[in-house]
Amino acid sequence: MRIRKAVIPAAGLGTRFLPATKAVPKEMLPIIDTPTIQYIVKEVVDSGIEEIIFVTSKGKDSILDHFDTYDDLEKKLEREGKTDLVNLLKETSQMAKFVSIRQPQPKGLGHAVLCAKDLIGDEPFVVLLGDDLVDSSIPCTKQMIDVYEKENKSVVALMRVGDEDVPKFGICGGHQDTERVYTLDTMVEKPSLAEAPSNLAIVGRYILKPSIFKYLEQIDLGKGGELQLTDAMARMMKVEGFVGYEFVGDRYDAGDKFGFIQANIAYALKRRDIAPRLRSYLKELVANMK
Ligand code: G1P
């Protein structure tokens, strides 16, 4: 079955970016001039997804406003002949069909995905975490959809991390089938280095069959007293199999201060309107550091 829907959990509190996130959702913090979440939305739209389900919480209305239409503003800008800006506004609202559902309590990623159950129905879907930006020529989600279509199993995106980062991620173990594809046999949420089956970390991209909801309903609270998506996936893996895919691309952790700055610099260095000045500024900065 073709993958048409994506779930983007956006209910997190964003405490790592206080005070910026006191009144602004962390998903709306811009990388240059575009909210972080718009890069995620663009990735799924470029991968053929038609409907996007935001799982939100209190104080996140500006995410939905951002993807809404702004008729009055469009008309005003049109009258002023600012067609470039009109197109920018239209582009955002016309990217996909946007739907939202509230996660009433912060009970974890697994619970956030479970909130979307009725909106997904009986079809496979993508989950993307807003903190993980992946820059690649073929969108990471598209790469994963291709693997899903070939393997007909749920797929999780993997990336090798250093030992010091292992306890920050869901970690997978399994058999390497091809250069990038693994048949998984272990998944552990944020293990200690000693418990970890490998250095293959789960990045925030998942293609899930709808049976994941059944497993999410079966599991108990896990790490941090939260309903963990990784625990439900581990259960699913034992019954239905699960594929890990080491994606091609550069991943930025936009949920971390350093990662956020890295993403801003890396994306700016790809922008024709900014790159030349930024490159000479960075050179100058480095030269003056010595
Ligand atoms: C979540 C998942 C974890 C995954 C990570 C990727 O953790 O629970 O398995 O490795 O995202 O970013 P979080 O970072 O939200 O605590």
Side-chain angles (χ1 to χ4, degrees):
M1 194 184 224
R2 208 169 74 75
I3 300 184
R4 302 181 309 126
K5 297 183 183 178
V7 174
I8 305 183
L13 294 173
T15 45
R16 283 197 280 178
F17 276 88
L18 281 170
T21 49
K22 224 179 141 189
V24 176
K26 65 169 176 173
E27 295 79 5
M28 291 301 291
L29 297 181
I31 306 287
I32 311 161
D33 51 8
T34 303
T36 316
I37 199 159
Q38 192 173 325
Y39 291 91
I40 307 279
V41 166
K42 185 169 186 323
E43 177 185 324
V44 281
V45 170
D46 288 348
S47 303
I49 301 291
E50 295 156 9
E51 183 173 324
I52 293 169
I53 300 160
F54 295 120
V55 183
T56 65
S57 59
K58 272 190 206 78
K60 301 277 184 163
D61 290 350
S62 59
I63 298 177
L64 301 169
D65 289 347
H66 180 73
F67 292 100
D68 209 341
T69 42
Y70 277 76
D71 281 349
D72 290 349
L73 182 56
E74 279 171 25
K75 279 191 195 120
K76 180 179 175 288
L77 292 169
E78 240 155 43
R79 277 197 304 270
E80 291 167 3
K82 296 176 177 160
T83 34
D84 284 4
L85 293 180
V86 175
N87 291 341
L88 264 184
L89 285 181
K90 281 202 171 134
E91 219 176 81
T92 322
S93 55
Q94 291 170 357
M95 285 175 106
K97 178 182 173 198
F98 297 103
V99 183
S100 83
I101 183 125
R102 287 263 180 137
Q103 183 184 20
Q105 291 108 18
K107 291 193 200 159
L109 177 59
H111 181 254
V113 173
L114 191 51
C115 289
K117 180 182 171 189
D118 291 343
L119 291 169
I120 293 291
D122 193 24
E123 53 184 289
F125 61 103
V126 193
V127 175
L128 294 98
L129 305 188
D131 287 345
D132 289 307
L133 290 179
V134 181
D135 181 30
S136 51
S137 50
I138 300 172
C140 182
T141 298
K142 176 74 176 76
Q143 296 176 38
M144 293 173 72
I145 290 175
D146 291 346
V147 175
Y148 171 80
E149 282 172 352
K150 217 164 136 210
E151 307 279 337
N152 193 27
K153 288 196 183 88
S154 295
V155 185
V156 64
L158 298 177
M159 172 184 85
R160 279 192 191 277
V161 296
D163 286 355
E164 68 286 3
D165 286 330
V166 161
K168 298 181 193 159
F169 290 91
I171 301 287
C172 296
H175 174 267
Q176 187 166 10
D177 299 325
T178 63
E179 195 196 341
R180 296 190 176 273
V181 176
Y182 295 77
T183 299
L184 301 179
D185 59 24
T186 322
M187 289 184 192
V188 201
E189 180 65 11
K190 305 199 175 88
S192 65
L193 190 57
E195 288 166 328
S198 76
N199 285 55
L200 287 169
I202 298 176
V203 174
R205 300 286 184 279
Y206 313 80
I207 304 225
L208 299 169
K209 291 192 174 191
S211 56
I212 191 68
F213 296 117
K214 177 176 80 190
Y215 300 104
L216 281 167
E217 281 163 346
Q218 287 172 1
I219 55 166
D220 296 318
L221 298 179
K223 266 264 147 71
E226 296 187 338
L227 210 62
Q228 294 293 350
L229 181 58
T230 306
D231 294 347
M233 294 189 338
R235 221 174 245 231
M236 182 187 216
M237 172 191 73
K238 295 227 163 72
V239 185
E240 304 182 21
F242 219 111
V243 167
Y245 173 68
E246 253 188 285
F247 61 92
V248 183
D250 298 319
R251 179 253 184 193
Y252 300 93
D253 181 3
D256 167 78
K257 284 170 202 163
F258 182 71
F260 183 76
I261 293 169
Q262 269 184 315
N264 266 287
I265 295 173
Y267 282 67
L269 285 172
K270 292 194 155 199
R271 288 263 300 248
R272 256 184 291 170
D273 55 340
I274 304 171
R277 278 171 66 196
L278 180 60
R279 208 171 290 125
S280 47
Y281 171 68
L282 290 175
K283 266 192 204 142
E284 202 184 295
L285 207 63
V286 173
N288 289 337
M289 264 175 199
K290 286 168 192 160

